[in-house]
Amino acid sequence: MWLFFSSVSTSGEISTHGFCSPELEDHLEALNHFVASGGSLLSAFLAEKGQRLDLPLEAFDGQPVRQYIRELQEQYRHALSS
């Protein structure tokens, strides 16, 4: 799965970035890390097998999310096995 995003620097320079990983959490963490380091997102989307998913920029506040996603996955697995 690919993550593509565009950003604007503090000097107003616009740039685009691409990142490939099989894990959704890696993409979310990368965007949050970027925002935490002072970056400003203009757009972000995931692409896989010809499908595109635009990501809501307001969701990226610079805080890590990997642990919360894993906890949610574990709760989901537990609920399904009950």
Side-chain angles (χ1 to χ4, degrees), residues 4-33:
F4 295 99
F5 66 99
S6 60
S7 63
V8 61
S9 69
T10 54
S11 64
E13 182 179 323
I14 295 174
S15 58
T16 58
H17 313 273
F19 172 60
C20 185
S21 173
E23 300 295 327
L24 173 64
E25 293 91 346
D26 292 341
H27 298 301
L28 302 179
E29 289 295 310
L31 289 172
N32 273 315
H33 179 73

PDB file of all heavy atoms in Angstrom, residues 4-33:
ATOM      1  N   PHE A   4       0.645   8.728  -0.295  1.00  0.00           N
ATOM      2  CA  PHE A   4       1.117   9.917  -0.991  1.00  0.00           C
ATOM      3  C   PHE A   4       0.584  11.120  -0.237  1.00  0.00           C
ATOM      4  O   PHE A   4      -0.584  11.140   0.158  1.00  0.00           O
ATOM      5  CB  PHE A   4       0.602   9.955  -2.437  1.00  0.00           C
ATOM      6  CG  PHE A   4       1.133   8.838  -3.282  1.00  0.00           C
ATOM      7  CD1 PHE A   4       0.364   7.706  -3.514  1.00  0.00           C
ATOM      8  CD2 PHE A   4       2.403   8.911  -3.838  1.00  0.00           C
ATOM      9  CE1 PHE A   4       0.843   6.673  -4.298  1.00  0.00           C
ATOM     10  CE2 PHE A   4       2.892   7.883  -4.623  1.00  0.00           C
ATOM     11  CZ  PHE A   4       2.119   6.760  -4.855  1.00  0.00           C
ATOM     12  N   PHE A   5       1.436  12.113  -0.020  1.00  0.00           N
ATOM     13  CA  PHE A   5       0.957  13.329   0.613  1.00  0.00           C
ATOM     14  C   PHE A   5       1.748  14.538   0.122  1.00  0.00           C
ATOM     15  O   PHE A   5       2.881  14.404  -0.332  1.00  0.00           O
ATOM     16  CB  PHE A   5       0.972  13.229   2.141  1.00  0.00           C
ATOM     17  CG  PHE A   5       2.331  13.129   2.792  1.00  0.00           C
ATOM     18  CD1 PHE A   5       2.942  14.248   3.342  1.00  0.00           C
ATOM     19  CD2 PHE A   5       2.976  11.911   2.886  1.00  0.00           C
ATOM     20  CE1 PHE A   5       4.176  14.152   3.966  1.00  0.00           C
ATOM     21  CE2 PHE A   5       4.205  11.803   3.513  1.00  0.00           C
ATOM     22  CZ  PHE A   5       4.806  12.931   4.055  1.00  0.00           C
ATOM     23  N   SER A   6       1.095  15.668   0.179  1.00  0.00           N
ATOM     24  CA  SER A   6       1.750  16.910  -0.176  1.00  0.00           C
ATOM     25  C   SER A   6       1.755  17.803   1.064  1.00  0.00           C
ATOM     26  O   SER A   6       0.894  17.701   1.938  1.00  0.00           O
ATOM     27  CB  SER A   6       1.053  17.602  -1.347  1.00  0.00           C
ATOM     28  OG  SER A   6      -0.277  17.894  -1.027  1.00  0.00           O
ATOM     29  N   SER A   7       2.762  18.656   1.100  1.00  0.00           N
ATOM     30  CA  SER A   7       2.948  19.495   2.275  1.00  0.00           C
ATOM     31  C   SER A   7       3.457  20.863   1.858  1.00  0.00           C
ATOM     32  O   SER A   7       3.911  21.063   0.740  1.00  0.00           O
ATOM     33  CB  SER A   7       3.944  18.837   3.231  1.00  0.00           C
ATOM     34  OG  SER A   7       5.217  18.723   2.597  1.00  0.00           O
ATOM     35  N   VAL A   8       3.392  21.777   2.810  1.00  0.00           N
ATOM     36  CA  VAL A   8       3.931  23.110   2.596  1.00  0.00           C
ATOM     37  C   VAL A   8       4.894  23.408   3.749  1.00  0.00           C
ATOM     38  O   VAL A   8       4.593  23.132   4.908  1.00  0.00           O
ATOM     39  CB  VAL A   8       2.808  24.175   2.489  1.00  0.00           C
ATOM     40  CG1 VAL A   8       1.976  24.257   3.749  1.00  0.00           C
ATOM     41  CG2 VAL A   8       3.377  25.512   2.115  1.00  0.00           C
ATOM     42  N   SER A   9       6.058  23.918   3.400  1.00  0.00           N
ATOM     43  CA  SER A   9       7.064  24.247   4.406  1.00  0.00           C
ATOM     44  C   SER A   9       6.748  25.602   5.022  1.00  0.00           C
ATOM     45  O   SER A   9       5.885  26.346   4.543  1.00  0.00           O
ATOM     46  CB  SER A   9       8.460  24.271   3.780  1.00  0.00           C
ATOM     47  OG  SER A   9       8.572  25.376   2.903  1.00  0.00           O
ATOM     48  N   THR A  10       7.477  25.944   6.072  1.00  0.00           N
ATOM     49  CA  THR A  10       7.279  27.241   6.719  1.00  0.00           C
ATOM     50  C   THR A  10       7.641  28.387   5.777  1.00  0.00           C
ATOM     51  O   THR A  10       7.154  29.493   5.936  1.00  0.00           O
ATOM     52  CB  THR A  10       8.112  27.341   8.005  1.00  0.00           C
ATOM     53  OG1 THR A  10       9.482  27.057   7.696  1.00  0.00           O
ATOM     54  CG2 THR A  10       7.612  26.378   9.060  1.00  0.00           C
ATOM     55  N   SER A  11       8.470  28.108   4.762  1.00  0.00           N
ATOM     56  CA  SER A  11       8.832  29.137   3.780  1.00  0.00           C
ATOM     57  C   SER A  11       7.843  29.187   2.613  1.00  0.00           C
ATOM     58  O   SER A  11       8.010  29.971   1.684  1.00  0.00           O
ATOM     59  CB  SER A  11      10.244  28.889   3.252  1.00  0.00           C
ATOM     60  OG  SER A  11      10.300  27.670   2.547  1.00  0.00           O
ATOM     61  N   GLY A  12       6.824  28.302   2.635  1.00  0.00           N
ATOM     62  CA  GLY A  12       5.803  28.299   1.596  1.00  0.00           C
ATOM     63  C   GLY A  12       6.077  27.362   0.437  1.00  0.00           C
ATOM     64  O   GLY A  12       5.326  27.329  -0.529  1.00  0.00           O
ATOM     65  N   GLU A  13       7.136  26.575   0.521  1.00  0.00           N
ATOM     66  CA  GLU A  13       7.479  25.629  -0.544  1.00  0.00           C
ATOM     67  C   GLU A  13       6.588  24.390  -0.458  1.00  0.00           C
ATOM     68  O   GLU A  13       6.461  23.770   0.589  1.00  0.00           O
ATOM     69  CB  GLU A  13       8.937  25.224  -0.426  1.00  0.00           C
ATOM     70  CG  GLU A  13       9.406  24.295  -1.511  1.00  0.00           C
ATOM     71  CD  GLU A  13      10.871  23.938  -1.367  1.00  0.00           C
ATOM     72  OE1 GLU A  13      11.660  24.804  -0.975  1.00  0.00           O
ATOM     73  OE2 GLU A  13      11.202  22.773  -1.638  1.00  0.00           O
ATOM     74  N   ILE A  14       5.967  24.021  -1.580  1.00  0.00           N
ATOM     75  CA  ILE A  14       5.104  22.840  -1.641  1.00  0.00           C
ATOM     76  C   ILE A  14       5.916  21.660  -2.148  1.00  0.00           C
ATOM     77  O   ILE A  14       6.677  21.790  -3.110  1.00  0.00           O
ATOM     78  CB  ILE A  14       3.894  23.092  -2.553  1.00  0.00           C
ATOM     79  CG1 ILE A  14       3.013  24.192  -1.947  1.00  0.00           C
ATOM     80  CG2 ILE A  14       3.086  21.814  -2.765  1.00  0.00           C
ATOM     81  CD1 ILE A  14       1.866  24.624  -2.819  1.00  0.00           C
ATOM     82  N   SER A  15       5.769  20.517  -1.489  1.00  0.00           N
ATOM     83  CA  SER A  15       6.464  19.304  -1.927  1.00  0.00           C
ATOM     84  C   SER A  15       5.534  18.107  -1.806  1.00  0.00           C
ATOM     85  O   SER A  15       4.549  18.134  -1.085  1.00  0.00           O
ATOM     86  CB  SER A  15       7.740  19.088  -1.120  1.00  0.00           C
ATOM     87  OG  SER A  15       7.453  18.998   0.256  1.00  0.00           O
ATOM     88  N   THR A  16       5.849  17.060  -2.546  1.00  0.00           N
ATOM     89  CA  THR A  16       5.074  15.821  -2.496  1.00  0.00           C
ATOM     90  C   THR A  16       5.976  14.687  -2.028  1.00  0.00           C
ATOM     91  O   THR A  16       7.193  14.704  -2.247  1.00  0.00           O
ATOM     92  CB  THR A  16       4.473  15.475  -3.867  1.00  0.00           C
ATOM     93  OG1 THR A  16       5.524  15.358  -4.809  1.00  0.00           O
ATOM     94  CG2 THR A  16       3.494  16.538  -4.319  1.00  0.00           C
ATOM     95  N   HIS A  17       5.355  13.711  -1.398  1.00  0.00           N
ATOM     96  CA  HIS A  17       6.087  12.599  -0.811  1.00  0.00           C
ATOM     97  C   HIS A  17       5.330  11.304  -1.087  1.00  0.00           C
ATOM     98  O   HIS A  17       4.110  11.300  -1.167  1.00  0.00           O
ATOM     99  CB  HIS A  17       6.218  12.780   0.706  1.00  0.00           C
ATOM    100  CG  HIS A  17       6.650  14.144   1.116  1.00  0.00           C
ATOM    101  ND1 HIS A  17       7.958  14.512   1.200  1.00  0.00           N
ATOM    102  CD2 HIS A  17       5.918  15.250   1.434  1.00  0.00           C
ATOM    103  CE1 HIS A  17       8.030  15.782   1.585  1.00  0.00           C
ATOM    104  NE2 HIS A  17       6.810  16.245   1.724  1.00  0.00           N
ATOM    105  N   GLY A  18       6.060  10.199  -1.170  1.00  0.00           N
ATOM    106  CA  GLY A  18       5.461   8.879  -1.320  1.00  0.00           C
ATOM    107  C   GLY A  18       6.148   7.904  -0.389  1.00  0.00           C
ATOM    108  O   GLY A  18       7.351   8.027  -0.132  1.00  0.00           O
ATOM    109  N   PHE A  19       5.390   6.957   0.131  1.00  0.00           N
ATOM    110  CA  PHE A  19       5.907   6.006   1.109  1.00  0.00           C
ATOM    111  C   PHE A  19       5.145   4.699   0.951  1.00  0.00           C
ATOM    112  O   PHE A  19       3.916   4.705   0.909  1.00  0.00           O
ATOM    113  CB  PHE A  19       5.726   6.607   2.509  1.00  0.00           C
ATOM    114  CG  PHE A  19       6.036   5.702   3.654  1.00  0.00           C
ATOM    115  CD1 PHE A  19       7.297   5.153   3.815  1.00  0.00           C
ATOM    116  CD2 PHE A  19       5.074   5.414   4.596  1.00  0.00           C
ATOM    117  CE1 PHE A  19       7.579   4.326   4.891  1.00  0.00           C
ATOM    118  CE2 PHE A  19       5.341   4.599   5.675  1.00  0.00           C
ATOM    119  CZ  PHE A  19       6.608   4.053   5.823  1.00  0.00           C
ATOM    120  N   CYS A  20       5.858   3.609   0.843  1.00  0.00           N
ATOM    121  CA  CYS A  20       5.219   2.303   0.674  1.00  0.00           C
ATOM    122  C   CYS A  20       5.455   1.440   1.907  1.00  0.00           C
ATOM    123  O   CYS A  20       6.574   1.344   2.411  1.00  0.00           O
ATOM    124  CB  CYS A  20       5.786   1.604  -0.564  1.00  0.00           C
ATOM    125  SG  CYS A  20       4.946   0.051  -0.928  1.00  0.00           S
ATOM    126  N   SER A  21       4.381   0.816   2.383  1.00  0.00           N
ATOM    127  CA  SER A  21       4.449  -0.122   3.500  1.00  0.00           C
ATOM    128  C   SER A  21       3.209  -1.004   3.455  1.00  0.00           C
ATOM    129  O   SER A  21       2.139  -0.541   3.073  1.00  0.00           O
ATOM    130  CB  SER A  21       4.490   0.617   4.834  1.00  0.00           C
ATOM    131  OG  SER A  21       4.392  -0.299   5.914  1.00  0.00           O
ATOM    132  N   PRO A  22       3.337  -2.259   3.862  1.00  0.00           N
ATOM    133  CA  PRO A  22       2.149  -3.108   3.914  1.00  0.00           C
ATOM    134  C   PRO A  22       1.252  -2.819   5.128  1.00  0.00           C
ATOM    135  O   PRO A  22       0.125  -3.288   5.196  1.00  0.00           O
ATOM    136  CB  PRO A  22       2.726  -4.523   3.992  1.00  0.00           C
ATOM    137  CG  PRO A  22       4.060  -4.354   4.625  1.00  0.00           C
ATOM    138  CD  PRO A  22       4.557  -3.005   4.169  1.00  0.00           C
ATOM    139  N   GLU A  23       1.739  -2.024   6.064  1.00  0.00           N
ATOM    140  CA  GLU A  23       1.017  -1.771   7.309  1.00  0.00           C
ATOM    141  C   GLU A  23       0.377  -0.380   7.338  1.00  0.00           C
ATOM    142  O   GLU A  23       1.067   0.627   7.182  1.00  0.00           O
ATOM    143  CB  GLU A  23       1.959  -1.902   8.512  1.00  0.00           C
ATOM    144  CG  GLU A  23       2.597  -3.264   8.645  1.00  0.00           C
ATOM    145  CD  GLU A  23       1.603  -4.366   8.937  1.00  0.00           C
ATOM    146  OE1 GLU A  23       0.589  -4.089   9.628  1.00  0.00           O
ATOM    147  OE2 GLU A  23       1.836  -5.481   8.485  1.00  0.00           O
ATOM    148  N   LEU A  24      -0.915  -0.328   7.560  1.00  0.00           N
ATOM    149  CA  LEU A  24      -1.633   0.937   7.675  1.00  0.00           C
ATOM    150  C   LEU A  24      -1.044   1.800   8.788  1.00  0.00           C
ATOM    151  O   LEU A  24      -0.891   3.012   8.637  1.00  0.00           O
ATOM    152  CB  LEU A  24      -3.121   0.680   7.934  1.00  0.00           C
ATOM    153  CG  LEU A  24      -3.975   1.909   8.231  1.00  0.00           C
ATOM    154  CD1 LEU A  24      -4.008   2.840   7.026  1.00  0.00           C
ATOM    155  CD2 LEU A  24      -5.365   1.498   8.649  1.00  0.00           C
ATOM    156  N   GLU A  25      -0.700   1.175   9.902  1.00  0.00           N
ATOM    157  CA  GLU A  25      -0.171   1.917  11.041  1.00  0.00           C
ATOM    158  C   GLU A  25       1.090   2.687  10.680  1.00  0.00           C
ATOM    159  O   GLU A  25       1.312   3.785  11.176  1.00  0.00           O
ATOM    160  CB  GLU A  25       0.130   0.981  12.222  1.00  0.00           C
ATOM    161  CG  GLU A  25      -1.094   0.357  12.831  1.00  0.00           C
ATOM    162  CD  GLU A  25      -1.434  -0.987  12.196  1.00  0.00           C
ATOM    163  OE1 GLU A  25      -0.888  -1.316  11.121  1.00  0.00           O
ATOM    164  OE2 GLU A  25      -2.261  -1.709  12.771  1.00  0.00           O
ATOM    165  N   ASP A  26       1.927   2.122   9.812  1.00  0.00           N
ATOM    166  CA  ASP A  26       3.149   2.819   9.394  1.00  0.00           C
ATOM    167  C   ASP A  26       2.811   4.134   8.703  1.00  0.00           C
ATOM    168  O   ASP A  26       3.464   5.155   8.932  1.00  0.00           O
ATOM    169  CB  ASP A  26       3.982   1.956   8.446  1.00  0.00           C
ATOM    170  CG  ASP A  26       4.584   0.740   9.125  1.00  0.00           C
ATOM    171  OD1 ASP A  26       4.690   0.721  10.369  1.00  0.00           O
ATOM    172  OD2 ASP A  26       4.952  -0.200   8.397  1.00  0.00           O
ATOM    173  N   HIS A  27       1.795   4.118   7.871  1.00  0.00           N
ATOM    174  CA  HIS A  27       1.398   5.324   7.151  1.00  0.00           C
ATOM    175  C   HIS A  27       0.832   6.375   8.107  1.00  0.00           C
ATOM    176  O   HIS A  27       1.182   7.561   8.008  1.00  0.00           O
ATOM    177  CB  HIS A  27       0.366   4.999   6.075  1.00  0.00           C
ATOM    178  CG  HIS A  27       0.891   4.079   5.025  1.00  0.00           C
ATOM    179  ND1 HIS A  27       1.980   4.379   4.255  1.00  0.00           N
ATOM    180  CD2 HIS A  27       0.480   2.859   4.621  1.00  0.00           C
ATOM    181  CE1 HIS A  27       2.219   3.385   3.419  1.00  0.00           C
ATOM    182  NE2 HIS A  27       1.322   2.449   3.624  1.00  0.00           N
ATOM    183  N   LEU A  28      -0.013   5.946   9.016  1.00  0.00           N
ATOM    184  CA  LEU A  28      -0.602   6.884   9.971  1.00  0.00           C
ATOM    185  C   LEU A  28       0.470   7.475  10.878  1.00  0.00           C
ATOM    186  O   LEU A  28       0.466   8.681  11.163  1.00  0.00           O
ATOM    187  CB  LEU A  28      -1.686   6.192  10.795  1.00  0.00           C
ATOM    188  CG  LEU A  28      -2.846   5.583   9.998  1.00  0.00           C
ATOM    189  CD1 LEU A  28      -3.837   4.919  10.935  1.00  0.00           C
ATOM    190  CD2 LEU A  28      -3.516   6.621   9.123  1.00  0.00           C
ATOM    191  N   GLU A  29       1.394   6.640  11.320  1.00  0.00           N
ATOM    192  CA  GLU A  29       2.489   7.120  12.162  1.00  0.00           C
ATOM    193  C   GLU A  29       3.378   8.098  11.405  1.00  0.00           C
ATOM    194  O   GLU A  29       3.819   9.102  11.966  1.00  0.00           O
ATOM    195  CB  GLU A  29       3.325   5.953  12.690  1.00  0.00           C
ATOM    196  CG  GLU A  29       2.631   5.119  13.744  1.00  0.00           C
ATOM    197  CD  GLU A  29       2.362   5.890  15.036  1.00  0.00           C
ATOM    198  OE1 GLU A  29       3.265   6.532  15.584  1.00  0.00           O
ATOM    199  OE2 GLU A  29       1.209   5.839  15.507  1.00  0.00           O
ATOM    200  N   ALA A  30       3.651   7.819  10.128  1.00  0.00           N
ATOM    201  CA  ALA A  30       4.484   8.719   9.328  1.00  0.00           C
ATOM    202  C   ALA A  30       3.844  10.101   9.222  1.00  0.00           C
ATOM    203  O   ALA A  30       4.519  11.124   9.388  1.00  0.00           O
ATOM    204  CB  ALA A  30       4.724   8.129   7.938  1.00  0.00           C
ATOM    205  N   LEU A  31       2.541  10.148   8.966  1.00  0.00           N
ATOM    206  CA  LEU A  31       1.855  11.436   8.865  1.00  0.00           C
ATOM    207  C   LEU A  31       1.844  12.172  10.200  1.00  0.00           C
ATOM    208  O   LEU A  31       2.088  13.381  10.261  1.00  0.00           O
ATOM    209  CB  LEU A  31       0.434  11.247   8.339  1.00  0.00           C
ATOM    210  CG  LEU A  31       0.339  10.855   6.873  1.00  0.00           C
ATOM    211  CD1 LEU A  31      -1.101  10.507   6.513  1.00  0.00           C
ATOM    212  CD2 LEU A  31       0.868  11.955   5.964  1.00  0.00           C
ATOM    213  N   ASN A  32       1.587  11.446  11.280  1.00  0.00           N
ATOM    214  CA  ASN A  32       1.589  12.086  12.595  1.00  0.00           C
ATOM    215  C   ASN A  32       2.985  12.572  12.977  1.00  0.00           C
ATOM    216  O   ASN A  32       3.136  13.638  13.572  1.00  0.00           O
ATOM    217  CB  ASN A  32       1.023  11.152  13.667  1.00  0.00           C
ATOM    218  CG  ASN A  32      -0.477  11.269  13.744  1.00  0.00           C
ATOM    219  OD1 ASN A  32      -1.024  12.363  13.739  1.00  0.00           O
ATOM    220  ND2 ASN A  32      -1.157  10.142  13.794  1.00  0.00           N
ATOM    221  N   HIS A  33       4.004  11.818  12.630  1.00  0.00           N
ATOM    222  CA  HIS A  33       5.377  12.241  12.903  1.00  0.00           C
ATOM    223  C   HIS A  33       5.701  13.515  12.110  1.00  0.00           C
ATOM    224  O   HIS A  33       6.317  14.445  12.637  1.00  0.00           O
ATOM    225  CB  HIS A  33       6.362  11.121  12.551  1.00  0.00           C
ATOM    226  CG  HIS A  33       7.774  11.499  12.773  1.00  0.00           C
ATOM    227  ND1 HIS A  33       8.323  11.613  14.026  1.00  0.00           N
ATOM    228  CD2 HIS A  33       8.762  11.817  11.900  1.00  0.00           C
ATOM    229  CE1 HIS A  33       9.579  11.984  13.921  1.00  0.00           C
ATOM    230  NE2 HIS A  33       9.879  12.115  12.637  1.00  0.00           N
TER     231      HIS A  33
END
